[in-house]
Amino acid sequence: MRKLFICALFFIGILPKAQNYAAINGIIDRLEERKGINQHLENVSIDNKKFVLVKDFEDHTERSFIILKGKDATYVEMFDDKATGKSTSNVFSGDIIRKKNIISLRADRLENKKIPIPVAKTLLLTKQKEIIYLIDINSRERWIDEESYTKKNK
């Protein structure tokens, strides 16, 4: 009888804690989703997607694009000089490898000419509020899906 009473008190004492653990677990899941961790985006198609990154500086603006078509990738850098209004660009082409949420981009051609040191980027695919992002693992830059961005601004 005494064991049964102690066991009942134990389970009654744990019940409110279990509810707190469920709430804490929900908060942790949302935080992980925000950081891009623990998302299962293997079924999200990135074929024919264009991702955009814009950096604004005092003297110039940098716009970068990653265009994915199957296993092929195009990486475009555009520089807009604010003083002269001139724009210059570099167009790199290469390929990608995708393992779950990680995308490795290796662009080894600059305007169809082989370059000795390829441009390499390792990107993490994330999704927040139905918007797809690529986060550069090394620099933490966030590339937004152009399609999501244009829908948002309309």
Side-chain angles (χ1 to χ4, degrees):
M1 185 72 176
R2 182 176 173 198
K3 288 182 183 179
L4 182 65
F5 180 71
I6 291 173
C7 194
L9 281 176
F10 177 73
F11 284 114
I12 290 171
I14 288 181
L15 188 61
K17 302 275 188 226
Q19 291 173 349
N20 287 341
Y21 290 134
I24 290 171
N25 195 27
I27 291 169
I28 290 172
D29 286 343
R30 279 183 271 148
L31 288 172
E32 287 177 344
E33 183 178 311
R34 236 181 253 160
K35 287 195 170 204
I37 305 168
N38 203 16
Q39 290 185 350
H40 303 288
L41 302 174
E42 294 88 14
N43 298 329
V44 173
S45 174
I46 57 170
D47 193 25
N48 294 320
K49 293 277 187 188
K50 185 177 185 181
F51 293 92
V52 180
L53 171 70
V54 178
K55 295 185 207 174
D56 194 26
F57 298 99
E58 288 181 22
D59 59 340
H60 71 283
T61 302
E62 293 180 17
R63 293 178 290 158
S64 301
F65 304 93
I66 295 176
I67 303 154
L68 305 174
K69 292 187 180 182
K71 297 279 183 192
D72 297 326
T74 305
Y75 173 62
V76 180
E77 296 176 326
M78 295 185 75
F79 303 97
D80 301 322
D81 190 358
K82 291 182 180 178
T84 63
K86 292 174 77 176
S87 292
T88 58
S89 65
N90 295 322
V91 180
F92 298 92
S93 57
D95 56 357
I96 64 163
I97 297 173
R98 181 177 177 182
K99 300 272 183 173
K100 296 186 180 183
N101 294 354
I102 302 292
I103 298 166
S104 297
L105 173 112
R106 184 181 64 96
D108 59 350
R109 297 190 171 277
L110 173 60
E111 297 175 6
N112 289 328
K113 293 180 183 171
K114 193 90 165 159
I115 55 176
I117 301 173
V119 174
K121 296 201 172 286
T122 305
L123 306 159
L124 175 67
L125 181 68
T126 61
K127 188 174 186 180
Q128 294 177 8
K129 297 181 183 178
E130 302 302 317
I131 298 173
I132 299 172
Y133 295 95
L134 293 177
I135 299 175
D136 191 325
I137 301 279
N138 299 316
S139 64
R140 298 284 186 215
E141 295 172 333
R142 294 172 60 109
W143 300 72
I144 187 170
D145 178 22
E146 185 184 50
E147 196 175 286
S148 301
Y149 180 74
T150 55
K151 285 181 188 174
K152 184 179 171 185
N153 286 337
K154 285 185 179 180

